[in-house]
Amino acid sequence: MTDSKPSSPGDGCAGCTIGSRREFLLDALRASAAALVAIGMAPSGAEAMPLRWISALASKGEEKTYPVPATDGVQIDKDNEVILARNGKSVWAFALACPHQNTALRWDAGNNRFQCPKHKSKYRPDGTFIEGRATRSMDRYAVKLTGNNVAVDIDKLYQEDTDNALWQHAVVTLP
Ligand code: FES
C-alpha cells in the first residue's frame, strides 16, 4: 500500500504532527470550517469571529507582516503556521501547533474558541487554555504594531509556563 493518508479527519489523525502531516491537517482545518458553515454553526451574530486564510504581506527574515485585522476574527497563514487573532482592541499571533503534541489547531467559529482535533483541548480567542490534555495555553509569537500592520517575529515564540512575562505581553493593543 502506498497511500497511508487517512480518508477523513477522524480516522487516522491521532499521530499527526505539524511536520509530518501538515498539509493533511490544514485540509482538515478547512473541511472543519466548511462543515460548521454547512450545519449552520457558522458565525451568525455580532459576537461570532469568522475564519480567513491569509498570507504575509511581507517577509523580512523571520519577521512576517500582516495588515491589522479590520474586525474581530481569526486568520491563518498556513505557509508560516501563524494564527492571527483579533478580539476588540487586542491582536495576538499564535503558533498553529497545539502546545500539547503539535497538532494543527482549528478555529471553532460556532463556539468562538480554538480546538485541537487530536485530544480536544480547547482555548479561548486569546489563546488561554480552557480544558483538555494540554498543560498550557497556546504559544504566542512576539508581535508589534508597525503603522497599519502587525509584525510577527516567528523566531520568538513564548510559552505560558516557561516565558510567562513575555507570553503575557505578546499582544498588540490597538489605539
Ligand atoms: S495534541 Fe492537542 S491536545 Fe493533544
Side-chain angles (χ1 to χ4, degrees), residues 36 41 49 74 106-116 120-126 128 130-131 138:
L36 289 172
M41 291 179 65
M49 292 172 58
V74 172
R106 298 178 183 177
W107 173 245
D108 178 352
N111 291 302
N112 265 4
R113 67 188 180 205
F114 294 97
Q115 180 160 329
C116 177
K120 313 302 179 195
S121 286
K122 298 175 178 63
Y123 309 88
R124 294 187 179 85
D126 68 353
T128 53
I130 300 171
E131 64 180 15
M138 289 163 60

Side-chain angles (χ1 to χ4, degrees), residues 98-103 105 116-121 123 132-134:
C98 178
H100 182 224
Q101 289 183 352
N102 290 335
T103 301
L105 292 164
C116 177
K118 188 170 181 183
H119 302 123
K120 313 302 179 195
S121 286
Y123 309 88
R133 279 204 220 170

Side-chain angles (χ1 to χ4, degrees), residues 12-163:
C13 190
C16 295
T17 62
I18 287 290
S20 64
R21 296 285 180 90
R22 183 168 167 264
E23 281 308 312
F24 165 69
L25 289 165
L26 288 165
D27 286 346
L29 203 66
R30 292 184 196 101
S32 176
L36 289 172
V37 172
I39 64 175
M41 291 179 65
S44 57
E47 295 178 12
M49 292 172 58
L51 171 67
R52 284 184 52 219
W53 302 98
I54 57 169
S55 297
L57 272 180
S59 182
K60 185 174 154 190
E62 300 302 296
E63 186 174 281
K64 312 298 174 188
T65 302
Y66 305 90
V68 171
T71 58
D72 288 359
V74 172
Q75 304 180 352
I76 297 178
D77 173 357
K78 64 177 182 174
D79 293 334
N80 292 302
E81 297 175 359
V82 170
I83 298 173
L84 201 64
R86 174 175 177 170
N87 194 4
K89 290 189 177 296
S90 299
V91 178
W92 302 268
F94 305 107
L96 182 59
C98 178
H100 182 224
Q101 289 183 352
N102 290 335
T103 301
L105 292 164
R106 298 178 183 177
W107 173 245
D108 178 352
N111 291 302
N112 265 4
R113 67 188 180 205
F114 294 97
Q115 180 160 329
C116 177
K118 188 170 181 183
H119 302 123
K120 313 302 179 195
S121 286
K122 298 175 178 63
Y123 309 88
R124 294 187 179 85
D126 68 353
T128 53
F129 176 72
I130 300 171
E131 64 180 15
R133 279 204 220 170
T135 57
R136 65 177 189 262
S137 298
M138 289 163 60
D139 297 337
R140 293 178 176 173
Y141 288 113
V143 286
K144 63 183 177 186
L145 194 60
T146 55
N148 293 324
N149 299 322
V150 176
V152 178
D153 187 343
I154 62 171
D155 199 37
K156 293 180 180 167
L157 184 62
Y158 304 130
Q159 298 182 356
E160 181 190 36
D161 50 359
T162 58
D163 317 299

